[in-house]
Amino acid sequence: MTADRVLRKESLHSSLADPVLDTMTFLNEVTMRYPEAISFAPGRPYDGFFDTEDIVTHLRRYLDHLSEAGWSPQQIRTAMYQYGTTAGQIRDLIAASLRIDEHIDVTPESIVVTVGAQEAMLLVLRALIAGPSDVLLVSSPCYVGITGAARLLDIPLVDVEEPADGFSCAKVEAAIQREHARGRRPRAFYVVPDHSNPSGTTIGPEARAQLLELAARHQLLIIEDSPYRLVSPGNPLPTLKSQDTAGVVVHLGSYSKTVFPGARVGYIVADQRITSADGHSTLLADELSKIKSMVTVNTSSLSQAVV
């Protein structure tokens, strides 16, 4: 039976008419159509070194890890086959790797495992942008994924132009002051400090310290997106999160570049303390998990196991 009900495009959410929402699909389709071409646009890692059988090896290693940790066969079966915990089942391993690789010392409870960094952006934006006067500052040019997520959520974006000679804290502060003058609240600033996509810019040590000080002074949260650090040449500079003494940085990570994109596993470090009017206290990670439970329920247990 063929449905003959026709919906007008104008009756759908206005974001669906925005060309930015076609970008990801377009980039992936072009790459699939021309497999011999080397495209720098979608951030795809080279897959010539991948061995399909490695997936099985990695999964077996994780199952052995659970068994050695004292999990029963029933517990392992449930962990792999059932809906998993919303916040993720490899948070302890992520916390350990962050401590070793990035000197970011956080508890597993402050981490949320996500379906790639793209879901992480959506969750963080939904939680932080609370009203019509809240705006998101973005370092411009910026990653199209944050633009699309904000568009879906009807979140106003304010571009902070990145000069040709590199990142400028003065421009961030000027944007904050302009928005305050307009009666709006700059809630957060999205930035990729290391090898930013698409500009390629890396923020220097002095500017990183200035940005953290500025954020603390203006009560601005920094959304630090760090997908490229472990695949970049040379010794990386310390992350903003590792230097965050004021609790102003929400750190986003992805295993798409360091493991493989098909796993679709990312994470959020959100250790900020949230207090309610009745004195109850939680972590921002707990609040993000509530949103995730209504979006993807949980990140694939099999993908987490392989990662």
Side-chain angles (χ1 to χ4, degrees), residues 42 77 86 164 168 174 178 186 195 219 274 282 292 305:
R77 185 162 53 248
T86 300
S168 168
R178 281 196 305 271
H195 307 286
Q219 297 184 316
I274 307 297
T282 61
K292 179 177 173 62

Side-chain angles (χ1 to χ4, degrees), residues 9-21 151-154:
K9 187 69 173 281
E10 295 80 6
S11 71
L12 304 179
H13 190 267
S14 61
S15 66
L16 297 175
D18 192 326
V20 74
L21 264 67
R151 186 72 181 86
L152 285 173
L153 297 172
D154 291 320

Side-chain angles (χ1 to χ4, degrees), residues 41-277:
R44 293 165 61 101
Y46 174 65
D47 58 21
F49 297 130
F50 293 150
D51 185 334
T52 307
E53 291 302 314
D54 284 347
I55 294 176
V56 180
T57 301
H58 298 323
L59 181 57
R60 179 72 264 167
R61 185 180 181 191
Y62 181 71
L63 297 179
D64 291 343
H65 163 73
L66 294 183
S67 181
E68 291 164 4
W71 289 45
S72 70
Q74 176 60 52
Q75 288 174 315
I76 294 174
R77 185 162 53 248
T78 299
M80 292 294 98
Y81 280 98
Q82 288 290 359
Y83 296 107
T85 56
T86 300
Q89 68 183 46
I90 60 168
R91 292 185 293 166
D92 57 331
L93 297 175
I94 294 175
S97 71
L98 286 172
R99 187 165 53 252
I100 294 168
D101 295 329
E102 299 288 10
H103 306 291
I104 296 175
D105 193 2
V106 293
T107 64
E109 291 74 24
S110 65
I111 294 171
V112 180
V113 185
T114 58
V115 182
Q118 192 62 38
E119 186 195 22
M121 294 175 201
L122 191 76
L123 300 181
V124 171
L125 293 186
R126 180 65 292 158
L128 296 183
I129 307 300
S133 64
D134 287 349
V135 298
L136 174 68
L137 307 182
V138 295
S139 185
S140 179
C142 72
Y143 171 55
V144 68
I146 194 73
T147 306
R151 186 72 181 86
L152 285 173
L153 297 172
D154 291 320
I155 293 172
L157 286 181
V158 176
D159 289 343
V160 179
E161 182 184 356
E162 186 179 285
D165 59 350
F167 181 82
S168 168
C169 282
K171 286 188 175 292
V172 178
E173 186 152 31
I176 293 171
Q177 292 168 344
R178 281 196 305 271
E179 292 307 308
H180 281 314
R182 296 178 62 187
R184 304 205 297 184
R185 178 174 70 154
R187 188 70 168 110
F189 174 54
Y190 171 85
V191 64
V192 182
D194 301 282
H195 307 286
S196 178
N197 179 357
S199 72
T201 300
T202 292
I203 301 176
E206 184 177 351
R208 291 179 190 233
Q210 291 173 352
L211 180 58
L212 288 168
E213 185 278 328
L214 181 154
R217 180 158 40 88
H218 287 283
Q219 297 184 316
L220 177 79
L221 287 169
I222 299 171
I223 303 173
E224 177 184 31
D225 191 5
S226 297
Y228 303 110
R229 288 179 56 79
L230 295 182
V231 294
S232 300
N235 295 320
L237 293 169
T239 63
L240 294 172
K241 187 60 185 175
S242 67
Q243 301 175 328
D244 178 23
T245 59
V248 296
V249 179
V250 177
H251 182 85
L252 311 185
S254 170
Y255 292 106
S256 290
K257 320 304 178 191
T258 53
V259 183
F260 57 93
R264 302 308 303 130
V265 175
Y267 60 88
I268 310 167
V269 177
D271 58 347
Q272 288 76 14
R273 183 64 60 180
I274 307 297
T275 56
S276 58

